[in-house]
Amino acid sequence: MARHLKIEEPKFANEMTTIQLMNTLNWYHQNKEYKDGISYIQDYAKKNKIPGRVNTSKSILTLAWVCRLVMNGNNVGEKGIKYIKEYIKDVMQVEVVEILKVDTTPTISIQDRMKEKIAEIAGDLEGAIDDYIESNYVQTSSAFSIMQNRAKGLHAQRLIEQFKKRRVEFDDVLHTKDSDTKEAYSNFTKPQLKKIIAFCDSIITDAMKIAGEAKVNRKPRKRKLKTADELVAKIKYCVEFAELKLKSVSPKEIIGAMQLWVYNIKTRKMGCYHAEDAGGLSLKGTSLLNFNETKSIQKRLRKPEVTLPEVLNGGKVYLRNVIENIRAVESSLTGRLNDDTILLKIIK
């Protein structure tokens, strides 16, 4: 899985432009491994006298590549340096070393062993993604076979968190409108990005299986799964708004949905909740769960009587840009539903 590519690293004489930076980060993603990233951050921290060691439970790769660029003498500009300063202290974990007078023999803690194991498995999984891309998107090995007999329950949980973030990275690239980002990832077509996202989903699913098997082995108390009726029992929403002839869809359909379109009859704001991952949306009490806080936005409608019917009758292609095309100030959706909220539309 791991590969050692003898390719010269990118270097720039002048301050890097945004496009150059994005292309270079993409180059490192393709040609370097997870363990390289750990080493790059550690080298930067040592040179700049930043204490601690890399916390591998966090998403570190982008930070690692920027640190490497600086260490190689590249000028990443004020934004690049600010990015490093903002995130490196969070990534560098300072550990308190207790010196025992009785036994001075150095030992590796359970936490350190676990982090090393997670980093090792994550590196192999990243390698599997690279192999998948280089084999023209033909899967040569399964994530389950990589993790089987190596990852235990807690390992699997950390890997799930890590590759959910990795999936979000590719998903953001797939749906971005930013021209610089599009150019940086221009070597991937949309179908290819969708295949990579699906591969990340398979890693997450297989890690969930391993985490589930570990729980079975521990024989925990069996938890009763809530039915859709129980999940929506306390939800608050507006059933019908006669003025605009609007009726809410059944709240049961929210469970597992990828999008929920809402309209507030009091503020005249329309918005769309986007699911965070393949698990879809869920509910707890009156609040929506597992939605992407960045993508889930709303805008005030000047003519709701015109826009709302178009949304209700529009397909996925139309809905993709409808909020962006509304000339109004956008705001983030909070996840809280109330008696003024019409549940306009569900996309599974």
Side-chain angles (χ1 to χ4, degrees):
M1 308 237 170
R3 296 178 308 282
H4 301 279
L5 301 178
K6 296 181 179 179
I7 302 175
E8 187 176 353
E9 293 180 55
K11 290 186 179 180
F12 300 88
N14 301 315
E15 181 177 337
M16 297 176 67
T17 65
T18 301
I19 293 176
Q20 287 174 333
L21 183 58
M22 293 300 293
N23 284 333
T24 305
L25 293 178
N26 190 32
W27 184 93
Y28 275 102
H29 274 301
Q30 292 295 317
N31 294 284
K32 296 296 177 180
E33 300 178 345
Y34 190 88
K35 62 183 180 182
D36 295 324
I38 296 174
S39 175
Y40 295 162
I41 295 175
Q42 205 72 53
D43 291 343
Y44 182 94
K46 184 177 180 180
K47 182 180 179 181
N48 291 274
K49 298 180 181 180
I50 301 171
R53 59 187 298 165
V54 179
N55 184 349
T56 54
S57 66
K58 296 181 178 291
S59 182
I60 67 166
L61 290 181
T62 300
L63 174 63
W65 309 149
V66 180
C67 286
R68 181 62 172 178
L69 286 169
V70 173
M71 292 293 286
N72 280 347
N74 293 291
N75 183 354
V76 297
E78 291 183 6
K79 289 184 178 179
I81 298 300
K82 183 179 178 182
Y83 176 86
I84 294 176
K85 289 181 178 179
E86 183 178 349
Y87 287 98
I88 196 165
K89 290 183 180 179
D90 183 51
V91 167
M92 296 300 292
Q93 184 175 22
V94 179
E95 297 180 351
V96 177
V97 179
E98 184 179 353
I99 302 175
L100 301 176
K101 293 182 180 180
V102 179
D103 186 4
T104 57
T105 305
T107 58
I108 301 176
S109 69
I110 295 174
Q111 290 82 1
D112 288 341
R113 289 182 188 276
M114 181 174 294
K115 289 173 184 176
E116 288 177 4
K117 193 68 175 177
I118 292 170
E120 177 188 325
I121 299 171
D124 286 344
L125 290 171
E126 290 283 356
I129 294 176
D130 291 342
D131 290 339
Y132 180 60
I133 294 170
E134 290 192 355
S135 64
N136 197 23
Y137 304 92
V138 176
Q139 189 167 343
T140 57
S141 61
S142 70
F144 189 83
S145 65
I146 294 172
M147 292 183 282
Q148 192 176 26
N149 299 325
R150 296 172 67 194
K152 295 184 179 179
L154 196 53
H155 298 140
Q157 290 293 341
R158 295 289 182 269
L159 290 167
I160 290 168
E161 294 170 10
Q162 190 166 323
F163 281 91
K164 275 188 176 181
K165 293 176 182 177
R166 197 82 170 93
R167 183 198 188 280
V168 169
E169 281 182 38
F170 285 111
D171 191 62
D172 287 343
V173 173
L174 179 63
H175 296 98
T176 188
K177 300 295 180 184
D178 182 70
S179 57
D180 289 343
T181 304
K182 283 184 176 180
E183 184 170 348
Y185 287 85
S186 60
N187 55 319
F188 294 110
T189 65
K190 284 194 173 184
Q192 288 173 341
L193 285 169
K194 288 179 181 179
K195 288 180 180 180
I196 296 171
I197 291 169
F199 194 91
C200 289
D201 282 336
S202 72
I203 292 175
I204 295 167
T205 301
D206 287 344
M208 286 179 173
K209 289 178 184 176
I210 289 173
E213 288 176 2
K215 289 181 180 180
V216 170
N217 292 335
R218 289 198 301 268
K219 295 183 180 178
R221 183 180 67 181
K222 189 174 181 181
R223 231 176 137 182
K224 184 181 177 183
L225 294 175
K226 291 186 177 182
T227 64
D229 288 325
E230 290 172 326
L231 289 171
V232 304
K234 296 182 180 179
I235 186 176
K236 292 182 180 179
Y237 68 103
C238 180
V239 177
E240 187 175 358
F241 185 50
E243 184 178 328
L244 293 176
K245 298 180 181 179
L246 298 175
K247 288 185 179 180
S248 287
V249 299
S250 171
K252 293 181 189 178
E253 295 184 38
I254 296 174
I255 311 303
M258 300 310 294
Q259 290 182 14
L260 168 63
W261 289 76
V262 295
Y263 175 70
N264 189 297
I265 61 174
K266 188 175 181 180
T267 63
R268 300 203 330 272
K269 288 185 178 181
M270 180 186 72
C272 177
Y273 286 99
H274 293 266
E276 180 68 38
D277 52 47
L281 301 171
S282 188
L283 286 164
K284 184 177 181 180
T286 59
S287 297
L288 204 64
L289 301 179
N290 199 41
F291 66 91
N292 186 302
E293 296 182 9
T294 303
K295 295 180 181 179
S296 302
I297 59 171
Q298 61 183 345
K299 288 185 179 180
R300 189 187 302 276
L301 301 182
R302 294 182 180 179
K303 296 181 179 181
E305 68 278 5
V306 174
T307 305
L308 292 174
E310 293 176 349
V311 170
L312 290 171
N313 296 321
K316 289 184 178 180
V317 175
Y318 170 79
L319 295 176
R320 195 174 296 160
N321 299 314
V322 65
I323 293 182
E324 184 180 336
N325 293 335
I326 295 172
R327 293 186 178 180
V329 177
E330 73 174 44
S331 58
S332 298
L333 287 164
T334 63
R336 293 187 293 274
L337 306 175
N338 57 43
D339 295 329
D340 296 321
T341 306
I342 286 283
L343 310 179
L344 281 176
K345 191 168 187 171
I346 295 288
I347 302 294
K348 289 290 187 179

